[in-house]
Amino acid sequence: MGNDKVGIIANVSAFFAERSINIEDISQTVLSGNFVMMMMVDLADSTKPLATVKDELTELGESMGVAISLMHERVFSAMHRI
Amino acid sequence: MLFTAHEIKETVDMFLRHKLDIRAITLGVSLLDCAAATGSATRDRIREKLLRVAGPLVAVGRAIETEYGVPIINKRVSVTPIALVAASARETDLAPYATMLDYVARELGVDFVGGFSALVQKGYADADRRLIESIPEALSSTERVCASVNLASTASGINMDAVRQMGVIVREAAERTATRDGIACAKLVVFCNAPEDNPFMAGAFHGPGESESALNVGVSGPGVIKAALESFRGAGFDEVADAIKKTAFKITRMGQLVGSEAARRLGVPFGILDLSLAPTPEVGDSVARIIEELGIEAAGTHGSTAALALLTDMVKKGGVMASTHVGGLSGAFIPVSEDEGMVAAVRSGALTLDKLEAMTCVCSVGLDMVAIPGDVSESTISAIIADEMAIGMVNGKTTAVRIIPVPGKKAGDWAEFGGLLGGAPVLPVHPFSSDAFIARGGRIPAPIHSFRN
């Protein structure tokens, strides 16, 4: 989430590809003035441990001026699906 | 996409902008099988058992935080009230149990162990008396041990001998930690109708009716409720009530998910989820600010009790459907020093001790983290406790007192406790005496409506 700019999806996609993380779904929109991009990824074959991926993803976000958070799909299911 | 952009943004905002977190996962461990013929043998057994059973707690918590992206602020352990476990060895000084528990807490990497406790609502067993007498030494010589005493219940009445004694104990605990504004009292809470499955400190203990071990979870989220209500300015209470319920449901579902996952990984049963809205001193994490969002200029002014009643009840209604087992305190906490909005309300003169007491009739606990002048008499402290016990007893709810007579400080001075405990202005108390009332002793009988058989 953050301000839209050129290359966000390209950079994030490349980041995942380099680590063998498969993108299963992707969408983006603007909500109340904020650029919001969502990706659903499968980390089963990731070449790096989850904690490392999270740290690196935070750094990548900061370099582009956006906040990137990685959360388990179950958290969203718990909150929004009965 | 499995979820809409709005749903994803709502959830992410809860964590990133509105400080939603799991406030505590607390592993309750029964120590009933640790009682031995001598104190040192009992403590050896307790140490061994806690290090074994709770050993993986912090690592499991951290792994879930990373995997789920949900912060778990505190990992804690609660134990069987030590007075029950220590009884068989018949020692006079029970402070060594606190020293041992402090060591265990450090070894485990948990921030607190709760359960240096006694249940004396109807009367003292010998070990209860010795435990209570050991509290000032236990809390002033340790960092991570919390003590609690259940003084009253709806079924048993109020043990006024114990109420009187706790006035003395609270003062002594404060004076022993005078250089740190009486911080020992921040780790000491007295209860009416204490829950046996409370995950929140300082009052957590693993009650004698609990299973061998259980994982209890406390969720937070005042910032999320406040943010949700910002869209309902000027709306009627029906709409407001609904908004709180929906948000509480979502928060609780998240807590249930994390709690049951932690329990599964630890190989212990999931105990309860405590729905309490627990504030922190951080801006944006305040229960007082929710009350103000409802249309109250400053928490503590007229209307605050009604606002808090609405909030507490809707949190329960929304949360109860989202969890398999709800327990603990469940509602909304109104500590002073731990809530930036409450501190501001005291400073502005809107919030007084008397109004706080009124609000405890409808919050989930009681007078919490309230700083009073250090020279307040023991009997006045006891009388403040007695009032709070009466509210709990008559209304069939949990009430508690965690009060800090700050040594050397007067009304209006600042008391600093640090970290999540925060700091608060010292509140004045009434200057009139309750000496003769507290000196009576004995037991206030249980109220008529406690006889439900």
Side-chain angles (χ1 to χ4, degrees), chain B residues 120-162:
Chain B
V120 298
Q121 61 271 23
K122 203 164 182 182
Y124 294 95
D126 290 347
D128 296 328
R129 199 180 296 278
R130 294 195 294 267
L131 181 122
I132 292 171
E133 286 164 359
S134 305
I135 284 175
E137 171 63 18
L139 296 185
S140 57
S141 63
T142 60
E143 289 292 324
R144 304 189 189 199
V145 176
C146 289
S148 57
V149 182
N150 194 57
L151 299 174
S153 73
T154 299
S156 302
I158 307 175
N159 179 346
M160 289 299 289
D161 293 326

Side-chain angles (χ1 to χ4, degrees), chain A residues 1 25-29 31-32 34 36-40 50-52 54 67-82, chain B residues 1-17 20 63 65-70 249-251 253-254 257 261 264 321:
Chain A
M1 294 197 292
D25 201 351
I26 180 168
S27 72
Q28 70 166 68
T29 185
L31 275 180
S32 14
N34 287 313
V36 182
M37 192 262 282
M38 294 147 286
M39 278 183 175
M40 201 150 188
L50 180 59
T52 314
K54 286 187 89 158
I68 307 181
S69 48
L70 184 64
M71 294 177 69
H72 203 293
E73 174 262 333
R74 280 193 198 168
V75 176
F76 299 95
S77 291
M79 279 197 185
H80 301 291
R81 299 289 177 270
I82 300 177
Chain B
M1 222 38 175
L2 269 175
F3 307 99
T4 67
H6 180 79
E7 288 168 339
I8 288 181
K9 183 169 184 300
E10 184 187 1
T11 299
V12 172
D13 271 350
M14 283 186 186
F15 290 103
L16 294 190
R17 293 179 56 202
L20 178 61
E65 281 182 274
T66 305
E67 230 172 276
Y68 283 70
V70 173
F249 177 82
K250 289 175 186 170
I251 295 172
R253 288 271 289 183
M254 186 274 299
L257 170 74
E261 181 62 18
R264 190 185 65 79
M321 199 182 128

Side-chain angles (χ1 to χ4, degrees), chain B residues 277-301:
Chain B
L277 292 181
T280 71
E282 271 189 76
V283 171
D285 211 10
S286 158
V287 169
R289 298 299 184 195
I290 304 177
I291 292 172
E292 291 167 3
E293 182 61 42
L294 287 167
I296 302 290
E297 183 182 1
T301 196

